[in-house]
Amino acid sequence: HVQLVESGGGSVQAGGSLRLSCGASGSIYGDACVGWLRQAPGKEREGVAAIDRNGYPTYTYSVSNRFTISKDNVKNTLYLDMNNLQPEDTAMYFCAADDFNLQLARHYRYWGQGTQVTVS
């Protein structure tokens, strides 16, 4: 059973930065497609960034050039570096993993519990 645990959320002012981390039980990050998704109140969950099984990153347009996804397969940790944060980035952020290349799709198999990011 895969467990994902996010950390690093918080409250920042517009223009600020945060780094989200997601630790995984087991060595899932080496073989899986992994991603970050977010859900704002009243909105559908959306894919933000992902690394596919070949190691290629994908970003949703609204965060390209501001967010960077990366992973450390030795530490079994996934990261999301977020710069120039804007109020519209306010949401609960989730890390997720799957055996298939889901990229920015929403139906990942494994999920973390989420970490809140608030930008004012």
Side-chain angles (χ1 to χ4, degrees), residues 9-19 66-67 82-90 116-120:
S11 297
V12 296
Q13 292 187 337
S17 300
L18 283 174
R19 173 178 246 204
R66 299 189 297 124
F67 291 10
M82 305 184 294
N83 297 310
N84 191 22
L85 283 160
Q86 300 300 314
E88 52 265 33
D89 296 316
T90 295
Q116 179 68 36
V117 172
T118 302
V119 186
S120 59

Side-chain angles (χ1 to χ4, degrees), residues 37 55 92 98:
L37 300 93
M92 184 72 77
D98 199 283

Side-chain angles (χ1 to χ4, degrees), residues 18-75:
L18 283 174
R19 173 178 246 204
L20 305 183
S21 300
C22 180
S25 61
S27 300
I28 187 173
Y29 288 150
D31 297 326
C33 177
V34 292
W36 288 96
L37 300 93
R38 66 186 179 186
Q39 187 165 20
K43 295 187 177 181
E44 291 187 349
R45 191 170 295 185
E46 65 167 344
V48 175
I51 299 176
D52 70 15
R53 296 185 64 181
N54 296 316
Y56 294 113
T58 303
Y59 299 92
T60 192
Y61 179 78
S62 63
V63 308
S64 59
N65 298 321
R66 299 189 297 124
F67 291 10
T68 302
I69 188 172
S70 61
K71 62 177 181 173
D72 186 326
N73 292 340
V74 174
K75 295 182 178 180

